[in-house]
């Protein structure tokens, strides 16, 4: 493998992501108005001690992938903040993607409300979880940013967090162990009830939910209770046999990331043509090769 | 068939075999759990167990050595083998780790791998693609092309049976001439100084008995407290490799011996006159003292984690096995331990299947994340 390229790229990625996070709570420039549109439309309250923490994951899903394409350029130019801000002008979420993420987040919020959970949102103050640092192995930087994140939540009086994606959930779980992050957090999938859904799918498990956070059965139960039919094949959807969408390796090697995504879709399509995911990054990676829906698009 | 198709077939096959084995031999998971405890016990005081092992090898009339690194190991073994000898190797990843075959060839010996897959890798002048099945990436046609170099009757259209027969014929000649047999060890029992080896082909049995000198080269991580623990390691390794019961289990305790006259144990008898156990450190002792890495030393090299890993499925041996015999997720850990090289860890996408299938319950993703993090700390 081209490890030399990785050794050149990683410092630039660190400089860019960590630098931006410590300054702005975001890995790269994000249009905060667009990111919080869903909350405006759903009239989500501010200043509550229970919040929904999107970590911008649905809103930025496609941007993560687009930024990966520019990593070699950032590396050449040194990964400065200026370059990142140029990048933000080049890299935008397109209208249909923005509408999709707005729909999904409004629906997640509505499912929480329906389940008797009232929560607010931090709007323009909403931070990113830092998961990219953790997943790329910048553990020291992740912990440092985690302390900043904890401080932010405490300064806003946050006592209870509902997460919407596996990467954020995993980050907060790790921060609990690493720095004593002591704010309760719950994945929304473990909090909702009384939902209705439809369709027949093969589920592509999130690696983090199923193999790191112990939610392999929980996700299936949520889908089943909503009336969604999941098709299983022990060689494809088993806890130990299913595998990654390729997303996490994107910033290191886009080619392998794409190859893994394509292999995974090929495998999933032996079970069903329609794939269900529970993670915005899985959606981004797999939808290039197949027909993919997020679970929050098929139940309410 | 391309690599990803081959990998897919192998993975499905292995999953079914392991499932079948665990269903039919339900005592295996309990043995694995006990083995983990025993191996952790050794890691708590590895220097003492090394001493105990070496003392017991000597007691049986064998010779024991501890090599700090690859260079020292090659020197020790080079001195035993000397030059102009015929040497037969059974599949040993530690021998690969220290570049032993090439070293012995360069010092004027005729050295041959006798495991079929490893023999093909030798003909290919390449690296093993998998720790248990080294030639997993070769098709029948690839194997035929390689074997046609030593047997003109083999063509691209030859059947697998004919390819295997040609290799068997070639190796039989080497076995008869062999002065030295070099094996690894799946486990080493500290309490008896015995080594345990598992195989299916029968080559290890010949390599360890027919030549008059038997050298076992293995890592200090293979030491377990007792002989029953060593057998347990064999059972667990073969079960999770999907080949259970294994065709052959070999236990060697010193050189050949007999007690037939007045019940006095004397050596040699019919088999080897000399037995040498060369234990290799090469980073393992440091790893045993490193709380964040030491779990990696529990690996029994069943190779299951390779098959559960999306990176290995996508790129196979190109990931790590062009510079180390250890590939896949365990290879990330072992390449770090033995080569102090953290960079393959950057390609881990923390899919987590590796720890799901690991019989030793090693938290592989967490160890790999630590290695990733250590590599990143060195970046400016």
């Amino acid at each position: 493998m081209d490890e030399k390229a990785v050794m050149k790229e990683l410092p630039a990625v660190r400089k860019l992501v960590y630098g931006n996070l410590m300054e702005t709570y975001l890995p790269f420039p994000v249009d905060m108005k667009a990111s919080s549109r869903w909350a405006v439309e759903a009239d989500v309250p501010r200043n509550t001690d229970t919040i929904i923490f999107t970590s911008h994951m649905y809103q930025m899903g496609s941007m993560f992938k687009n930024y990966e394409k520019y990593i070699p350029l950032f590396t050449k130019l040194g990964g400065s903040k200026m370059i990142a801000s140029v990048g933000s002008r080049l890299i935008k979420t397109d209208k249909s993607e923005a509408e999709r993420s707005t729909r999904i987040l409004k629906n997640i919020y509505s499912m929480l409300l329906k389940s008797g959970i009232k929560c607010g949102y931090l709007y323009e103050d909403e931070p990113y979880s830092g998961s990219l640092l953790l997943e790329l192995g910048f553990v020291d930087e992740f912990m440092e940013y985690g302390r900043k994140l904890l401080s932010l939540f405490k300064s806003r009086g946050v006592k209870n967090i509902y997460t919407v994606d596996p990467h954020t959930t995993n980050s907060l779980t790790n921060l609990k162990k690493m720095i004593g992050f002591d704010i309760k957090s719950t994945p929304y999938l473990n909090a909702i009830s009384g939902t209705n859904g439809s369709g027949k799918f093969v589920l592509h498990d999130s690696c983090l939910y199923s193999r790191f956070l112990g939610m392999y059965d929980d996700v299936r139960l949520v889908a089943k209770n909503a009336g969604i039919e999941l098709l299983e094949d022990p060689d494809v959807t088993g806890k130990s046999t299913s595998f990654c969408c390729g997303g996490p390796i994107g910033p290191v090697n886009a080619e392998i990331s794409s190859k893994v995504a394509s292999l995974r879709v090929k495998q999933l399509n032996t079970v069903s043509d329609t794939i269900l995911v529970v993670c915005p990054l899985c959606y981004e990676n797999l939808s290039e090769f197949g027909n993919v829906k997020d679970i929050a698009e098929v139940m309410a | 068939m391309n690599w990803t198709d081959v990998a897919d077939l192998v993975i499905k096959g292995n999953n079914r075999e392991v499932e079948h084995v665990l269903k039919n031999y339900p005592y295996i998971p309990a043995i694995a759990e006990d083995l983990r405890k025993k191996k952790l016990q050794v890691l708590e005081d590895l220097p003492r167990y090394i001493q105990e092992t070496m003392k017991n090898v000597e007691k049986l009339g064998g010779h024991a050595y501890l090599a700090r690194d690859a260079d020292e190991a090659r020197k020790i073994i080079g001195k035993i083998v000397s030059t102009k000898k015929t040497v037969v190797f059974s599949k040993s990843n530690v021998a690969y780790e220290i570049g032993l075959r090439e070293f012995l060839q360069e010092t004027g010996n005729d050295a041959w791998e006798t495991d079929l897959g490893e023999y093909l890798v030798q003909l290919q002048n390449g690296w093993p693609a998998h720790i248990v099945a080294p030639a997993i990436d070769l098709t029948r046609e690839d194997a035929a092309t390689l074997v046609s170099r030593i047997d003109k009757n083999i063509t691209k259209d030859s059947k697998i049976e004919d390819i295997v027969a040609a290799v068997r014929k070639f190796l039989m000649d080497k076995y008869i001439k062999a002065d030295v047999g070099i094996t690894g060890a799946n486990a080493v029992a500290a309490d008896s100084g015995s080594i345990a080896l598992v195989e299916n082909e029968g080559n290890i049995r010949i390599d360890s008995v027919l030549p008059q000198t038997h050298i076992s080269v293995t890592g200090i991580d293979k030491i377990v407290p007792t002989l029953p623990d060593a057998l347990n390691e064999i059972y667990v390794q073969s079960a999770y490799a999907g080949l259970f019961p294994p065709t052959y289990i070999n236990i060697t305790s010193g050189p050949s011996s007999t007690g037939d006259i007045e019940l006095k144990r004397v050596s040699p008898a019919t088999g080897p006159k000399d037995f040498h156990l060369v234990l290799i450190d090469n980073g393992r002792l440091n790893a045993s003292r490193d709380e964040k890495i030491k779990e990696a030393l529990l690996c029994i090299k069943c190779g299951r984690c390779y098959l559960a890993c999306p990176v290995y499925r996508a790129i196979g041996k190109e990931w790590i096995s062009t510079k180390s015999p250890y590939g896949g997720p365990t290879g990330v850990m072992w390449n770090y331990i033995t080569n102090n090289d953290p960079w393959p860890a950057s390609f881990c996408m923390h899919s987590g299947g590796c720890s799901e299938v690991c019989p030793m319950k090693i938290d592989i993703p967490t160890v790999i994340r630590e290695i990733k993090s250590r590599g990143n700390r060195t970046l400016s």
Side-chain angles (χ1 to χ4, degrees):
Chain A
M1 289 316 306
D2 191 358
E3 290 168 2
K4 283 186 182 156
V6 171
M7 286 155 80
K8 272 187 192 166
E9 283 173 9
L10 281 174
V13 172
R14 173 175 60 189
K15 194 172 173 186
L16 182 74
V17 173
Y18 177 62
N20 281 325
L21 279 175
M22 292 307 280
E23 205 168 312
T24 67
Y25 291 97
L26 299 165
F28 37 77
V30 171
D31 178 347
M32 295 302 279
K33 205 174 158 189
S35 205
S36 55
R37 183 169 300 131
W38 72 272
V40 172
E41 289 181 14
D43 198 20
V44 183
R46 292 171 183 266
N47 304 321
T48 54
D49 61 8
T50 296
I51 59 161
I52 181 167
F53 179 28
T54 76
S55 189
H56 306 275
M57 292 296 285
Y58 277 97
Q59 302 94 315
M60 299 190 305
S62 64
M63 285 172 73
F64 270 107
K65 236 182 140 41
N66 286 329
Y67 262 88
E68 283 164 14
K69 291 178 195 158
Y70 287 92
I71 284 171
L73 175 69
F74 295 154
T75 306
K76 263 191 196 163
L77 299 170
S80 72
K81 193 162 173 278
M82 184 191 78
I83 297 305
S85 101
V86 171
S88 75
R89 270 176 241 140
L90 297 170
I91 303 163
K92 297 259 183 213
T93 304
D94 79 24
K95 203 179 161 194
S96 68
E97 284 168 355
E99 282 171 0
R100 179 179 170 272
S101 78
T102 299
R103 264 197 319 275
I104 287 174
L105 291 170
K106 278 167 74 177
N107 190 34
I108 291 174
Y109 177 68
S110 151
M111 287 190 281
L112 283 168
L113 273 184
K114 196 173 162 185
S115 311
I117 294 160
K118 289 179 185 163
C119 51
Y121 183 57
L122 292 178
Y123 287 85
E124 62 280 359
D125 289 337
E126 168 160 89
Y128 168 67
S129 70
S131 62
L132 197 54
L133 291 175
L134 177 67
E135 290 162 22
L136 288 173
F138 294 117
V139 176
D140 301 336
E141 292 85 348
F142 173 70
M143 289 197 289
E144 196 180 340
Y145 176 66
R147 287 185 197 101
K148 194 174 157 74
L149 192 66
L150 179 60
S151 213
L152 173 79
F153 283 134
K154 291 218 162 165
S155 73
R156 298 293 186 280
V158 174
K159 289 182 180 152
N160 206 358
I161 292 171
Y162 286 93
T163 55
V164 300
D165 74 284
H167 294 267
T168 306
T169 310
N170 183 56
S171 287
L172 299 187
T173 304
N174 273 279
L175 285 175
K176 277 186 184 106
K177 289 181 224 156
M178 290 172 171
I179 64 157
F181 186 95
D182 56 357
I183 300 174
K184 190 185 171 199
S185 64
T186 312
Y188 88 95
L189 286 170
N190 280 353
I192 54 174
S193 57
T195 54
N196 292 307
S198 61
K200 200 190 272 190
F201 301 92
V202 57
L203 176 68
H204 165 76
D205 279 288
S206 142
C207 296
L208 295 174
Y209 275 163
S210 74
R211 288 180 286 276
F212 290 83
L213 297 163
M215 291 171 60
Y216 178 81
D217 293 323
D218 297 351
V219 172
R220 281 166 174 74
L221 195 63
V222 168
K224 194 183 157 196
N225 287 345
I228 296 166
E229 189 182 342
L230 296 181
L231 302 167
E232 303 277 3
D233 175 336
D235 285 329
V236 178
T237 59
K239 192 177 176 190
S240 64
T241 54
S242 73
F243 65 84
C244 187
C245 68
I249 204 178
V252 174
N253 188 307
E255 198 185 324
I256 299 175
S257 172
S258 189
K259 196 167 180 184
V260 170
S262 135
L263 281 172
R264 183 63 181 144
V265 170
K266 192 175 157 195
Q267 199 185 39
L268 289 161
N269 281 345
T270 63
V271 185
S272 171
D273 289 337
T274 45
I275 298 165
L276 193 66
V277 294
V278 287
C279 167
L281 298 188
C282 291
Y283 176 86
E284 288 303 329
N285 270 278
L286 301 181
S287 57
E288 193 182 332
F289 301 97
N291 180 16
V292 185
K293 289 275 182 201
D294 188 281
I295 194 165
E297 290 179 284
V298 297
M299 64 176 188
Chain B
M1 242 192 310
N2 62 28
W3 162 249
T4 53
D5 292 335
V6 172
D8 205 41
L9 268 182
V10 172
I11 289 158
K12 278 183 188 162
N14 175 268
N15 286 337
R16 281 174 200 152
E17 283 302 322
V18 174
E19 195 183 334
H20 174 78
V21 168
L22 297 182
K23 195 176 156 196
N24 287 290
Y25 305 92
Y27 50 80
I28 296 285
I31 293 177
E33 201 181 323
D34 180 62
L35 182 62
R36 179 185 158 94
K37 285 181 197 152
K38 298 288 172 54
K39 287 178 80 74
L40 277 171
Q41 180 188 321
V42 172
L43 294 182
E44 286 304 311
D45 196 0
L46 195 46
R48 183 178 75 75
Y49 279 98
I50 294 169
Q51 287 308 313
E52 188 185 339
T53 303
M54 292 175 71
K55 189 184 79 190
N56 286 323
V57 169
E58 300 277 351
K59 247 191 206 172
L60 292 166
H63 306 279
Y65 315 80
L66 174 64
R68 276 169 304 179
D69 54 29
D71 190 44
E72 205 172 289
R74 285 192 299 263
K75 278 184 190 151
I76 292 166
I77 297 168
K79 210 169 159 188
I80 301 167
V81 174
S82 183
T83 189
K84 293 181 184 168
K85 299 288 192 325
T86 298
V87 183
V88 282
F89 273 83
S90 73
K91 185 174 65 194
S92 161
N93 294 300
V94 175
Y96 256 101
E97 178 188 322
I98 62 171
L100 187 57
R101 177 162 42 77
E102 291 81 355
F103 171 77
L104 292 179
Q105 285 168 328
E106 283 161 15
T107 49
N109 296 290
D110 185 33
W112 289 96
E113 297 286 350
T114 61
D115 172 85
L116 182 69
E118 209 68 80
Y119 176 77
L120 294 173
V121 174
Q122 181 179 3
L123 290 181
Q124 192 190 27
N125 200 22
W127 282 89
H130 186 269
I131 209 160
V132 174
I136 197 176
D137 56 335
L138 301 181
T139 61
R140 182 191 57 78
E141 288 84 351
D142 296 331
T145 306
L146 289 168
V147 174
S148 69
R149 291 186 201 163
I150 54 112
D151 189 329
K152 285 177 186 155
N153 294 320
I154 298 296
T155 68
K156 265 198 159 183
D157 299 324
S158 293
K159 290 189 293 184
I160 293 175
E161 287 81 353
D162 294 335
I163 300 168
V164 174
V167 175
R168 179 189 162 92
K169 191 178 155 200
F170 178 89
L171 289 178
M172 277 299 170
D173 179 54
K174 299 296 172 190
Y175 287 134
I176 301 297
K177 291 179 187 160
D179 304 290
V180 181
I182 296 183
T183 68
N186 290 91
V188 182
D191 70 338
S192 63
S194 310
I195 64 159
L197 284 154
V198 61
E199 59 158 335
N200 296 294
E201 293 180 18
N203 62 310
I204 292 182
R205 193 155 281 196
I206 302 178
D207 291 341
S208 61
V209 171
L210 198 52
Q212 286 300 288
T213 300
H214 174 197
I215 302 171
S216 167
V217 52
T218 195
I220 51 178
D221 56 294
K222 289 292 177 190
I223 297 173
V224 289
T226 67
L227 188 52
D229 297 325
L231 280 166
N232 281 345
E233 182 151 346
I234 293 280
Y235 301 145
V236 178
Q237 198 270 1
S238 51
Y240 285 87
L243 299 159
F244 193 89
T247 311
Y248 301 107
I249 292 174
N250 304 283
I251 300 289
T252 299
S253 310
S256 63
S257 66
T258 176
D260 278 355
I261 302 174
E262 295 180 356
L263 289 180
K264 187 186 173 192
R265 187 169 179 165
V266 294
S267 285
T270 308
K273 286 184 200 163
D274 293 306
F275 171 75
H276 303 265
L277 175 65
V278 183
L279 294 166
I280 313 279
D281 174 357
N282 207 25
R284 292 163 173 85
L285 201 53
N286 277 343
S288 75
R289 292 168 176 149
D290 185 334
E291 284 305 317
K292 292 186 170 172
I293 301 293
K294 87 174 190 190
E295 275 226 349
L297 298 172
L298 301 177
C299 176
I300 57 169
K301 314 287 191 302
C302 68
R304 256 201 121 194
C305 61
Y306 285 56
L307 309 178
C309 174
V311 184
Y312 181 73
R313 281 190 191 205
I315 59 174
K317 70 179 174 187
E318 296 309 312
W319 185 9
I320 310 164
S321 303
T322 50
K323 55 184 177 182
S324 163
Y326 312 110
T330 196
V332 172
M333 304 190 294
W334 277 86
N335 184 49
Y336 178 70
I337 291 169
T338 58
N339 284 335
N340 197 25
D341 172 12
W343 298 111
S346 305
F347 294 85
C348 168
M349 53 179 80
H350 55 81
S351 180
C354 49
S355 57
E356 285 293 322
V357 300
C358 176
M360 288 291 99
K361 305 283 176 218
I362 301 170
D363 186 357
I364 301 174
T366 301
V367 176
I368 292 181
R369 191 177 70 197
E370 176 63 21
I371 295 169
K372 239 189 220 190
S373 165
R374 290 183 188 186
N376 288 348
R377 280 183 198 132
T378 67
L379 295 170
S380 53

